Amino acid sequence: AAMDAAGLRKDVPTLFLSECVLVYMQSLHADSIISWAASAVPNAPSAIIVYEQTNPNDPFGKVMVDNLMRRGCPLLSIHDYPTLAAQKERYTDRGWENVVAVDMNAVYDKHLDVKDVERIQRLELLDEFEEWHLIQAHYFLLVATRTPSPQNDAKAEKADWVHGIPIFLAKTAKYDGDCLPHAS
């Protein structure tokens, strides 16, 4: 009711964004938000884009989790969903139809324009690429989509375009597996 009062429309394509938010919440609460978002727009396609931390169990991940905890910012749900596969399952189990998750190294290596990467490298003059890649392996980008409810078959069929956004064309020969499309 509060979202309706705030103007959320259930018949307009909707994008939800979450940047380093859900991982700081207890899983029970974050999972409820994920489920809510999957059902909040039943009469139009919707998507959610999430950027968060991952991989808490390797040496770097343990230091990252401990460092944030000591600063009073515990990653409350990172151990419940410690891998990209666990994150993908989390979203599909809560109503999202198509889910793609990649770590930031994959985004950097495969999905950014090569000329932009070269330009950025010249500007940043980053010497510690090993450390940078280690950090990037502990953050991920997830995109999940859904179409209208099955009882709205006509609308659902017309809304399939949401799954055709280039990030989800991973099933064609041009893309690899669960990854985002390559930049050309």
Side-chain angles (χ1 to χ4, degrees):
M3 294 304 289
D4 292 337
L8 178 68
R9 291 188 44 194
K10 298 177 181 188
D11 62 337
V12 176
T14 303
L15 173 64
F16 298 96
L17 298 173
S18 175
E19 181 181 358
C20 295
V21 173
L22 301 174
V23 73
Y24 289 97
M25 301 171 75
Q26 293 175 346
S27 293
L28 172 72
H29 303 296
D31 289 350
S32 294
I33 290 171
I34 294 165
S35 295
W36 172 83
S39 63
V41 187
N43 300 319
S46 60
I48 186 168
I49 298 175
V50 179
Y51 174 77
E52 289 192 341
Q53 297 92 330
T54 189
N55 296 331
N57 298 320
D58 68 11
F60 183 90
K62 289 175 182 176
V63 170
M64 173 183 72
V65 170
D66 184 58
N67 184 31
L68 287 166
M69 181 155 332
R70 281 187 284 123
R71 293 172 183 237
C73 304
L75 302 176
L76 297 177
S77 63
I78 196 165
H79 292 287
D80 295 329
Y81 303 102
T83 65
L84 297 181
Q87 288 289 347
K88 288 171 63 173
E89 184 176 349
R90 177 187 200 183
Y91 283 79
T92 55
D93 286 353
R94 285 162 183 79
W96 294 95
E97 296 166 10
N98 286 338
V99 181
V100 174
V102 294
D103 73 25
M104 295 310 292
N105 279 321
V107 172
Y108 180 82
D109 293 339
K110 298 179 181 179
H111 310 299
L112 297 181
D113 183 271
V114 174
K115 289 180 181 165
D116 284 341
V117 170
E118 290 170 354
R119 181 181 54 79
I120 291 166
Q121 287 177 350
R122 283 193 304 272
L123 291 174
E124 292 296 320
L125 301 173
L126 188 59
D127 293 334
E128 299 296 327
F129 270 106
E130 284 182 37
E131 182 178 336
W132 189 81
H133 285 293
L134 188 60
I135 294 167
Q136 298 313 301
H138 291 81
Y139 286 84
F140 70 91
L141 181 66
L142 178 143
V143 179
T145 60
R146 56 155 298 285
T147 55
S149 305
Q151 60 264 33
N152 298 319
D153 285 339
K155 287 184 180 180
E157 202 169 290
K158 290 179 185 175
D160 272 350
W161 62 265
V162 75
H163 301 313
I165 295 172
I167 200 166
F168 292 108
L169 297 178
K171 295 176 185 151
T172 67
K174 186 176 176 186
Y175 306 105
D176 12 63
D178 290 332
C179 291
L180 304 165
H182 290 280
S184 42

